[in-house]
Amino acid sequence: SPDAASQMAMQLAYYKLHGEPGATYEACAMKNFWHGRTETIRSCTIEAADMCKSFLNNDSDEIKKQKLLAAAATHIEVAKGAQTQSGKYRGVDRHLTALKNIAEMNGKDLGFFKSEGYTKSNTFVMSTSNVTTPFFDLFGFGAVVPHGYGFGYQTLPESLPFCITSFKSCPETGSKKMADAVEESLHEFKKL
């Protein structure tokens, strides 16, 4: 899918610039559910990290292609699970946020919400939203942490426009560097 390709390009670009996978939030509309707003599609999967390593290790084109297709297939399943709340990859972020808020309101200290794993997986260094509509030429989506990036993007028939944001105050990030890395990643995918 074009969305999966876009998300994998962002994953590879981040890995190229920062040497590690980055927790990613992709907005998922939940309009099919009563009072539904959004859920999180978590694009940074094991398969996405394996794909990134394959590209950076200069594996053969065939292996890179296999890893890319596997990562994209997983992304599609994660997106379906988040949106439909069914299957192997159901969205959990809104449920966990509710549990955390209820615990805090009742004075409960649940160590899970202070754990390193929970904290790191919820520090979204990439905050992304695909709004493919004829009403926008381009739109922005802000970075949600000082050392992160925001990606507003569209998957159009003839192009994949991206608007990438980052905080100028952070020396480790830069929208131009990220844009160049995303473009390079997409060109690498196209060659396969």
Side-chain angles (χ1 to χ4, degrees):
S1 81
D3 184 67
S6 298
Q7 285 290 327
M8 292 310 105
M10 290 181 254
Q11 292 297 316
L12 182 54
Y14 187 87
Y15 209 111
K16 286 177 179 179
L17 294 177
H18 300 284
E20 65 180 5
T24 306
Y25 166 87
E26 180 181 3
C28 175
M30 300 298 290
K31 62 186 175 193
N32 294 334
F33 292 93
W34 181 258
H35 293 298
R37 286 198 27 88
T38 63
E39 181 53 85
T40 303
I41 299 170
R42 290 180 168 265
S43 306
C44 185
T45 62
I46 292 169
E47 292 81 3
D50 287 345
M51 183 254 332
C52 293
K53 291 173 190 169
S54 179
F55 276 80
L56 295 175
N57 290 338
N58 291 316
D59 287 345
S60 71
D61 284 352
E62 186 55 37
I63 294 197
K64 288 178 187 176
K65 184 176 180 179
Q66 289 172 5
K67 298 283 186 179
L68 172 59
L69 292 174
T74 298
H75 178 75
I76 291 166
E77 289 303 311
V78 170
K80 283 180 187 175
Q83 190 171 42
T84 63
Q85 290 300 300
S86 64
K88 183 176 172 182
Y89 301 104
R90 296 177 188 194
V92 298
D93 287 273
R94 298 303 171 255
H95 300 290
L96 289 174
T97 298
L99 288 172
K100 182 179 178 186
N101 290 340
I102 291 168
E104 288 173 354
M105 288 185 329
N106 290 292
K108 303 287 183 190
D109 181 14
L110 301 178
F112 170 74
F113 295 114
K114 294 179 182 174
S115 70
E116 182 182 348
Y118 181 82
T119 301
K120 188 168 183 171
S121 74
N122 283 283
T123 302
F124 294 113
V125 294
M126 290 193 286
S127 183
T128 73
S129 183
N130 176 355
V131 179
T132 299
T133 175
F135 306 111
F136 297 128
D137 289 330
L138 194 62
F139 75 100
F141 204 67
V144 296
V145 294
H147 59 288
Y149 301 91
F151 295 85
Y153 67 103
Q154 297 173 302
T155 54
L156 303 175
E158 299 299 321
S159 64
L160 297 171
F162 282 79
C163 177
I164 301 171
T165 62
S166 61
F167 289 92
K168 287 185 177 183
S169 59
C170 182
E172 292 89 37
T173 62
S175 300
K176 173 75 169 105
K177 288 189 301 187
M178 178 56 80
D180 290 343
V182 168
E183 184 176 15
E184 178 183 81
S185 297
L186 287 167
H187 284 297
E188 289 180 67
F189 294 172
K190 187 177 181 181
K191 288 177 186 174
L192 298 177

